[in-house]
């Protein structure tokens, strides 16, 4: 199939640079080769044990701790904790040790549990029974006991226990069918071939008598690549060498289907060296923009923390300059302290201040952010609107790290086939030498026979024409890799269109091929089956024609064509080739090229997928030469790919053009609507496709990517042939800039669409050509793209897709990119983009597996971006800002207090409050807020995609906003502290004249603090569900109850009772209540005023929409982007 | 059929929570709600502020600085630390009734009871009557843990050691004779402090518990003899001691010394001349501190503190002003929702 080969190419790019260390030699059945051959060197291979677990019972604690403390935040808290243990610090080590311990323990338990599950899974895999042929008998053993060289017997529906070379199969033709659903998600049946010399083996004894060695490459993760050679030793003869390719290698994890049993040898790779195990490596981590801002903020706060500590240390020593302050008579130093050098004392003081203020960077923020992401991502999986009934699946979240990035997308790169379109191909017409044939399956209500349905344009059937017509239909029936499946033997997802004949249908990994073969069937030529390398066709006259299939020159996306060499019953050697017009026309020497080209172009404009068909007759000698080229290339152990490509290039020449086909790929449901919404949301949509320009452009018009009003700029090979690339680029740039300057900032600015093809793109991207004038074309190209609302890149190779994404990512605005695709050829761009979205499409699951999010249909992109992405972004933005805010509020009063306690590091709050503030008093409301907040209703977000622009460019986490929050925090902290200070100033609070102490002072500040930060969150909450009510009021209540309990009991085993009755005493005082109310009000006031004023003076679109809830918002707010089309 | 079952199994739950469609109240901080809200809050605050302000104006406070810095001060002679057992008299005059109950405070300035090291320098186990800690006070008490002869100090630590030891007697001068004003020392500390938190060891007589220990170096008498008049007010539950042990939050502080609410003075201090006799012991000038005596009465909202009332008034007016500002802005920018 198409994509299988694309994948091969792709993995070449993706897999690490190959290092050919050595090949390995495997002795089948552990038998030495006969003397004379190479010496028997037993090589050591790992056993077949799969270890996916990370830890063992013994190393769990050290290894897990090591991994956890490698995270910079955990390490920071560990350092603080150690400092507290070592030096005399204001707060007990418990205050930072307990939260750290809590976080570490929770993480360790989670990871330990996951690892335990993995251990269990490993165990069940490793102990599953396998049949091994030993001394001519089948013996049952456990999977992990398999060794390289064992001969394994596998029965139908069993899973291969390791990577095997197929020796023989129960099917007489030496093939077996396999599904690799658990490896790459493709449930289609793939055919694997036995080694020809051993395919006749039927019994264990025969298999056991085999005397052979296998040489092959060292393990590598590419699922679709394998090079090896088998040397079969027969009595005293030279060993016979046969090549082994990926088609002989059965992969661990795949399942045997439709084949009773097979014998395979544990060929190459066992245990952790199997391709499946090698593919389980974790992908590279993507970091979201929010995370980057968060880290920047953290650095700022770290800086604030250090400067606070430095300021206090310096001030302390300045203040202590006079000796009566340094050591008043009532507070003597210890002897130890006096002897210590002043520098050491100062450093100790600095560390103590660091410890005192360290809560400004809270340990719980990481936990909360992580929990928010993890739990929040469930809303995507749970979303019923993104559930597809046909597939029976909803959206999938493969990584929750990027949830908020979904709200930040500026560029959308989408694949065309299968993403914008259904990838549900339907044969529309074919044209032979300019004559068009359209299958009319149903005409005037009655099914016509295939023959009469052929629509003759030119009704004079000349002999020449007749001949070409015959060849054309046969070519399409023969030149493909479609398999015929009997219905009852197939399960899983059915491929191909059911054609009323329940006995069989076609399956292939390429839907185009199925459509073509189906189409041929409707035109009267039915492909029956491939049997013993003979392809059988039922022709129009119900006769069976048999062609011997000699060679298949498989499709790949570089050549963009495939060929077969067959021998007809009359003994002619024929080569049929079908492929993209651009790859066929240059190789054609005769035929009605002009007529066919015209038809192809016309079809392409209509958005149909076209293929050209050509053939050539081979003489016996030509055939032999071709055979020679192919076998030589196939036998090569090294550079096989390149050699094959070269061989194909030599063989596929001098064609005679037969005709062309057209297949329709319908647009996905609501694709146009989705694209329009994305446009309105300010995203630039680029379509990257391998299709040809006309087809792709037609799809773009249909999907409203281009409108009628769109001015199309072309940057194609055709144009660059006429003018130099340099001139074209500059001219386009001028056009764009002129337009921009003319229309200025007016709304109805003409929008541009750019079309570029692969060849031109690689020319543009070529680094700085000599003599090309002043320039780097890259910049000019980017400048043009920046001014285009839509870009279509056609004729793209998979690698170029990734290149484009990379180019945009690296441009100077560093926009957030999203790539969406369904096929293996999109994997590279999915991995490259900031957010990769896979569509669970027809072309297997490669894309979905490698993506960050997988959705069933393109239309779901709208909801996942505009609704989920928007929500996640505002939620996490608030979460991050609020966390910093509440910790400024928390720690800044402590800082201020140092000025009034002689910089002695006296904590303002009690230890319990210091410890629990971030863990319990203020943690749950913000977590729940960040899970359920909806500042605007879902319907509004969907109806008004423009709201997405409000949060573009990380707008809620920019420095001014961050500064605002920090200033608000500082303001609140000043209010808390000085409010309490002036209230406590030299007066009594109670009506019995008693005085309060320092802990009451701290508790008063703390109470105001907890209430203020919680109510601040309440003010920011727009969506009050019972959850919000429960957690906001609940957490305040919890604070009160906790304080009552904490102060109400003499706690046993606790070394201090300084909080005893402090809270109650405070509550019994009238002025305390009044001042708490006053201080809370004052702290919240500026934020409320700011909100109200901003709302009325310069409301954002979001704020307008919030008001418009329930009303008819459509006319109150005209979108900036007026859809002028239609 | 199997496939259908699978589909339903995969289908996400259609609950309000999973679909993020929980019923919700969506309040909006729009001008229409906030302006009346501000007016209401403003008026309420002004009301509270006026009440507080009026109340606080009625509270009488009398402060007497007796540190003896100036030469004119009667306590100047005592400010020299070499003078022992110095007594000085401060005279003052009340021109109207000082309404009772009157609270008698002593105040210290520039005195950092909130030093961290100072604050932890005590042994809570000792103070809750644990005899083990009489022999081995906690290391927190260093350098007030053991005396020079390695005898444990009880109560140990800097806080206890630095207890305020000036004593006061107040006389009303009626026709040249001094009539002592009775000072009540009960209930000046928190009830929980002397009933639950701090305990004396259950040894009778209390003196025996202190065998083998020494009193803090600054103390003239041991802990069990703090109040010779009331045996129940000795040891760690002595109220003067407890008042001192509850550390003040800020460097300028006041602590309750006595109450004047008995006999002839139950209604307060009548107008007239008074003399305050001070046993001047406590050195503060070495660290530039000040000592004072404060007489004050209290209202329902505590002692004299104009800040709270003024703050309420200011914030209340600010709210009203802001609501006017917002009204202007609102009228000018005409928010699109309520037109």
């Amino acid at each position: 199939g198409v994509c299988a080969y694309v994948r091969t190419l792709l993995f070449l790019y993706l897999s690490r640079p190959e290092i050919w260390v050595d090949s390995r030699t495997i002795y089948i059945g552990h038998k030495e080769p006969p003397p004379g051959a190479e010496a028997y060197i037993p090589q050591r291979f790992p056993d077949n044990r799969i270890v996916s677990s990370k830890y063992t019972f013994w190393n769990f604690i050290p290894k897990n701790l090591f991994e956890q403390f490698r995270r910079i935040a955990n390490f920071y808290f560990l350092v603080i904790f150690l400092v507290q243990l070592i030096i005399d610090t204001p707060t007990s080590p418990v205050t930072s040790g307990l939260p750290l311990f809590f976080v570490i323990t929770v993480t360790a338990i989670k990871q330990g549990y996951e690892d335990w599950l993995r251990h269990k899974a490993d165990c069940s895999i490793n102990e599953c029974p396998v049949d091994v042929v030993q001394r001519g008998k089948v013996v049952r053993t456990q999977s992990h006991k398999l060794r390289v060289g064992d001969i394994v017997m596998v029965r139908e529906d069993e899973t291969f226990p390791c990577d095997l070379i197929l020796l023989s199969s129960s099917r007489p033709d030496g093939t077996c069918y396999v599904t690799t659903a658990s490896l790459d998600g493709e449930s289609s049946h793939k055919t694997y071939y036995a080694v020809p010399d051993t395919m006749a083996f039927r019994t264990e004894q025969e298999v056991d008598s085999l005397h052979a060695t296998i040489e092959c490459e060292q393990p590598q993760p590419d699922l679709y690549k394998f090079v090896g050679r088998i040397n079969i030793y027969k009595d005293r003869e030279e060993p016979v060498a046969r090549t082994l390719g990926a088609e002989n290698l059965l992969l661990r994890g795949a399942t045997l289907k439709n084949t009773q049993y097979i014998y395979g040898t544990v060929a190459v790779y066992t245990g952790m060296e199997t391709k499946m195990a090698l593919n389980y490596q974790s992908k590279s981590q993507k970091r979201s923009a929010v995370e980057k801002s968060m880290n920047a903020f953290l650095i700022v706060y770290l800086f604030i923390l250090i400067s606070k500590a430095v300021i206090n240390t310096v001030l302390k020593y300045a203040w202590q300059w006079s000796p009566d302050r340094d050591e008043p008579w009532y507070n003597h130093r210890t002897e130890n302290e006096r002897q210590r050098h002043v520098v050491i004392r100062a450093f100790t003081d600095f560390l103590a201040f660091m410890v005192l203020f360290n809560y400004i960077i809270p340990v719980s923020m990481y936990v909360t952010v992580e929990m928010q992401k993890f739990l929040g991502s469930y809303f995507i999986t749970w979303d019923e609107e993104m559930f597809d009934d046909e597939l029976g699946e909803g959206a999938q979240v493969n990584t929750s790290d990027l949830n908020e990035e979904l709200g930040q997308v500026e560029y959308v790169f989408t694949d065309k086939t299968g993403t914008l379109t259904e990838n549900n191909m339907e044969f529309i017409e074919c044209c032979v030498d300019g004559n068009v044939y359209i299958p009319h399956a149903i005409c005037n209500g009655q099914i016509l026979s295939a023959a009469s349905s052929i629509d003759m344009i030119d009704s004079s059937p000349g002999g020449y024409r007749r001949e070409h017509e015959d060849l054309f239909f046969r070519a399409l029936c023969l030149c493909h890799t479609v398999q015929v499946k009997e219905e009852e033997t197939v399960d899983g997802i059915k491929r191909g269109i059911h054609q009323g004949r329940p006995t069989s249908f076609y399956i292939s990994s390429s839907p185009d091929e199925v459509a073509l073969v189906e189409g041929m069937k409707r035109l009267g030529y039915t492909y029956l089956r491939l049997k013993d390398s003979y392809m059988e066709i039922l022709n129009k006259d119900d006769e069976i024609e048999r062609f011997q299939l000699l060679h298949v020159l498989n499709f790949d996306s570089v050549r963009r064509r495939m060929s077969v060499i067959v021998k007809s019953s009359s003994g002619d050697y024929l080569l049929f080739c079908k492929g993209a017009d651009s790859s066929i026309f240059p190789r054609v020497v005769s035929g009605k090229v002009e007529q066919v080209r015209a038809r192809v172009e016309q079809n392409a404009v209509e958005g149909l997928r076209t293929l050209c068909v050509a053939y050539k007759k081979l003489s016996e000698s030509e055939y032999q030469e071709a055979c020679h080229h192919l076998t030589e290339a196939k036998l090569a152990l090294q550079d096989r790919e390149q050699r094959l490509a070269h061989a194909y290039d030599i063989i596929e020449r001098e064609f005679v053009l037969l005709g062309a086909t057209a297949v329709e790929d319908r647009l996905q449901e609501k694709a146009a609507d989705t694209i329009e919404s994305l446009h309105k949301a300010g995203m630039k949509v680029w379509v990257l496709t391998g299709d040809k320009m006309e087809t792709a452009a037609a799809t773009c018009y249909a999907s409203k990517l281009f409108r009628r009003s769109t001015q199309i700029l072309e940057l194609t090979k055709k144009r660059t042939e006429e003018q130099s690339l340099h001139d074209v680029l500059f001219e386009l740039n001028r056009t764009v800039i002129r337009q921009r300057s003319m229309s200025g900032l007016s709304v109805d600015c003409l929008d541009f669409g750019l079309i570029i093809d692969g060849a031109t793109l690689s020319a543009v991207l070529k680094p700085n050509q000599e003599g090309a004038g002043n320039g780097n074309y890259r910049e000019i190209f980017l400048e043009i793209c920046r001014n285009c609302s839509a870009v279509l890149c056609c004729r793209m190779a998979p690698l170029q897709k990734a290149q484009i994404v990379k180019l945009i990512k690296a441009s100077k605005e560093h926009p957030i990119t999203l790539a969406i695709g369904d096929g293996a050829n999109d994997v590279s761009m999915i991995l490259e983009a900031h957010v990769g979205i896979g569509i669970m499409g027809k072309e297997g699951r490669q894309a979905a597996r490698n993506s960050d999010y997988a959705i069933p249909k393109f239309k779901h992109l709208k909801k996942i971006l505009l609704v989920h992405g928007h929500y996640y972004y505002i939620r996490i933005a608030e979460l991050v800002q609020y966390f910093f805010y509440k910790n400024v509020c928390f720690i800044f009063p402590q800082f201020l207090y140092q000025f009034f306690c002689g910089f002695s590091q006296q904590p303002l709050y009690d230890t319990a409050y210091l410890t629990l503030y971030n863990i319990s008093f203020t943690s749950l409301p913000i977590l729940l807020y960040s899970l359920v907040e909806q500042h605007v209703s879902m319907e509004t977000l969907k109806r008004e995609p423009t709201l997405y622009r409000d949060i573009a460019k990380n707008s809620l986490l920019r420095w001014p906003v961050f500064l605002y929050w920090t200033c608000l925090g500082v303001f609140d902290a000043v209010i808390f502290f000085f409010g309490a200070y002036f209230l406590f100033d030299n007066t009594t609070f109670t009506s019995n004249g008693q005085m309060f102490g320092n802990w009451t002072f701290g508790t008063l500040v703390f109470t105001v603090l907890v209430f203020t930060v919680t109510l601040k969150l309440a003010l920011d909450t727009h969506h009050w569900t019972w959850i919000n009510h429960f957690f906001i009021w609940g957490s305040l209540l919890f604070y009160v109850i906790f304080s009552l309990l904490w102060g109400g009991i003499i706690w046993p085993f606790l070394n201090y009772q300084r909080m005893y009755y402090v809270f109650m005493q405070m509550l019994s005082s009238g002025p305390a209540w009044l001042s708490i109310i006053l201080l809370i009000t004052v702290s919240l006031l500026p934020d409320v005023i700011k909100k109200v004023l901003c709302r009325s003076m310069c409301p954002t679109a979001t704020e307008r929409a919030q008001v418009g809830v329930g009303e008819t918002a459509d006319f109150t707010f005209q979108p900036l982007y007026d859809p002028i089309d239609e | 059929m199997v496939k259908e079952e699978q589909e339903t199994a995969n289908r996400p739950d259609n609950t309000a929570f999973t679909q993020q469609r929980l019923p919700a109240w969506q309040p909006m901080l729009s001008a229409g709600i906030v302006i009346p809200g501000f007016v209401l809050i403003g008026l309420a605050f002004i009301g509270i502020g006026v009440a507080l302000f009026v109340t606080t104006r009625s509270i009488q406070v009398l402060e007497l600085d007796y540190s003896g810095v100036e030469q004119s001060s009667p306590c100047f002679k005592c400010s020299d630390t070499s003078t022992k057992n110095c007594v000085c008299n401060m005279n003052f005059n009340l021109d109207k009734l000082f309404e009772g109950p009157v609270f008698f405070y002593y105040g210290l300035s520039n005195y950092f009871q909130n030093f961290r090291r100072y604050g932890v320098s005590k042994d809570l186990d000792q103070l809750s009557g644990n005899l083990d800690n009489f022999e081995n006070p906690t290391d927190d008490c260093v350098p007030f843990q053991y005396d020079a002869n390695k005898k444990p100090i009880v109560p140990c630590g800097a806080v206890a050691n630095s207890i305020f030891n000036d004593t006061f007697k107040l006389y009303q001068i009626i026709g040249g004779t001094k009539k002592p004003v009775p000072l009540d020392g009960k209930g000046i500390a928190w009830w929980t402090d002397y009933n639950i938190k701090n305990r004396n060891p259950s040894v009778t007589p209390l003196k025996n518990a202190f065998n083998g220990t020494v009193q803090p170096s600054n103390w003239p008498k041991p802990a069990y003899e703090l109040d010779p008049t009331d045996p129940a007010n000795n040891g760690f539950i002595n109220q003067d001691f407890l008042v001192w042990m509850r550390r003040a939050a800020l460097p300028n502080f006041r602590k309750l010394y006595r109450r004047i609410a008995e006999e002839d003075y139950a209604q307060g201090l009548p107008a007239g001349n008074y003399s305050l006799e001070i046993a001047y012991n406590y050195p503060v000038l070495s660290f530039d501190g000040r000592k004072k005596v404060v007489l004050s009465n209290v209202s329902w909202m505590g002692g004299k503190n104009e800040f709270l009332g003024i703050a309420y008034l200011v914030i209340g007016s600010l709210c009203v002003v802001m609501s006017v500002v917002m009204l202007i802005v609102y009228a000018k920018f005409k928010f699109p929702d309520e037109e």
Side-chain angles (χ1 to χ4, degrees), chain A residues 9 53 58 88 246 262 332 343 370 373 385 395 432 445 649 677 695 907 1011 1035 1041:
Chain A
L9 201 81
S53 55
W58 303 109
D88 170 42
I262 57 145
H332 277 292
V343 175
E370 217 133 276
K373 288 185 171 184
E385 280 178 44
V432 184
D649 187 47
S677 304
T695 317
F1011 274 81
S1035 106
I1041 291 172

Side-chain angles (χ1 to χ4, degrees), chain B residues 127 131 134 169 179 210 247 255 277 279:
Chain B
L127 297 177
L131 283 172
F134 275 52
K169 282 174 185 152
K179 182 187 175 191
F210 288 82
R247 296 193 292 140
K255 280 178 187 285
E277 187 185 306

Side-chain angles (χ1 to χ4, degrees), chain B residues 7-326:
Chain B
E7 267 176 37
T8 42
N10 280 342
R11 180 175 277 281
D13 291 343
N14 183 15
T15 63
F17 175 68
T18 56
Q19 301 307 313
Q20 305 196 64
R21 291 188 189 283
L22 283 174
W25 171 55
Q26 288 164 313
M28 207 58 60
L29 276 182
S30 61
I33 299 164
V34 174
I35 293 173
F38 264 55
V39 173
L40 281 179
I41 291 174
L43 292 179
F45 271 38
I46 290 173
I48 296 173
V50 168
L52 285 172
F53 195 68
V54 168
T55 319
T56 205
R57 289 310 284 266
S58 69
I59 293 174
Q60 291 157 287
V61 177
L62 180 83
E63 290 195 7
L64 296 169
D65 189 317
Y66 69 96
S67 331
V69 188
E70 288 119 42
Q71 299 212 344
S72 58
S73 164
C75 291
F76 177 69
K77 58 179 166 128
C78 300
S79 60
D80 182 4
T81 45
S82 60
T83 336
K84 295 280 173 217
N85 298 325
C86 178
V87 174
C88 56
N89 283 293
M90 299 271 287
N91 294 325
F92 62 94
N93 172 268
L94 296 176
D95 44 9
K96 62 172 184 190
L97 173 72
F98 201 105
E99 270 178 62
V102 179
F103 293 86
F104 189 118
Y105 296 91
Y106 61 88
L108 291 171
S109 302
N110 203 18
Y111 189 103
F112 287 84
Q113 249 203 331
N114 55 12
F115 266 135
R116 181 171 65 86
R117 281 293 315 147
Y118 177 85
V120 296
S121 184
K122 58 186 167 199
D123 188 335
L124 289 153
D125 285 324
Q126 215 179 51
L127 297 177
S128 58
N130 190 337
L131 283 172
D132 296 337
N133 292 62
F134 275 52
E135 285 159 40
N136 303 304
T138 170
D139 292 340
D140 286 336
C141 286
V142 177
F144 304 104
Q145 188 183 19
Y146 295 100
D147 72 350
N149 304 321
K150 300 279 168 223
K151 279 196 163 181
I153 300 173
V154 179
C156 73
V159 193
N161 185 53
S162 61
I163 191 168
F164 185 77
N165 55 5
D166 286 358
T167 53
F168 308 96
K169 282 174 185 152
L170 184 62
Y171 300 99
Q172 185 181 14
I173 302 171
I174 306 171
T177 57
K178 285 182 165 178
K179 182 187 175 191
V181 177
L183 301 176
D184 177 17
K186 290 206 176 63
I188 54 172
W190 291 16
W191 187 89
T192 47
D193 281 358
Y194 56 83
N195 280 304
I196 297 161
K197 196 174 145 187
N198 284 21
R199 304 309 305 145
N200 280 327
S202 45
V203 175
T204 39
L206 184 58
K207 184 176 187 294
N208 291 355
F210 288 82
N211 289 339
T213 67
V214 292
Q215 67 208 47
S217 59
N218 284 1
W219 286 28
K221 46 194 175 185
Y224 50 86
E225 287 172 5
L226 284 173
D227 186 356
T229 60
D230 182 3
N233 191 23
N234 270 311
F236 306 139
I237 56 172
N238 176 274
Q239 296 205 11
D240 285 319
F241 174 67
L242 291 174
V243 165
W244 182 254
M245 292 300 280
R246 184 158 290 279
R247 296 193 292 140
L250 299 167
N252 299 335
F253 59 89
R254 220 185 252 188
K255 280 178 187 285
L256 187 55
Y257 182 68
R258 291 292 181 263
R259 272 187 296 179
I260 304 167
E262 285 173 9
E263 297 172 21
D264 298 339
Y265 302 96
Q267 297 307 312
L269 296 174
N273 288 322
Y274 291 85
S275 170
L276 179 68
E277 187 185 306
I278 300 149
Y280 193 115
N281 299 315
Y282 206 69
V284 291
L285 297 181
S286 64
F287 51 87
D288 199 24
R290 293 290 179 273
K291 302 195 280 190
K292 64 189 172 191
V293 161
V294 183
L295 295 176
S296 167
N297 49 21
V298 299
S299 67
W300 58 272
M301 43 80 56
K304 192 174 185 77
N305 185 1
E306 297 191 342
F307 173 77
L308 195 59
I310 293 173
Y312 262 98
L313 283 175
V314 169
I315 298 304
S317 337
L318 205 69
C319 282
V320 175
V321 170
M322 278 322 294
S323 62
V324 174
V325 170
M326 277 188 280

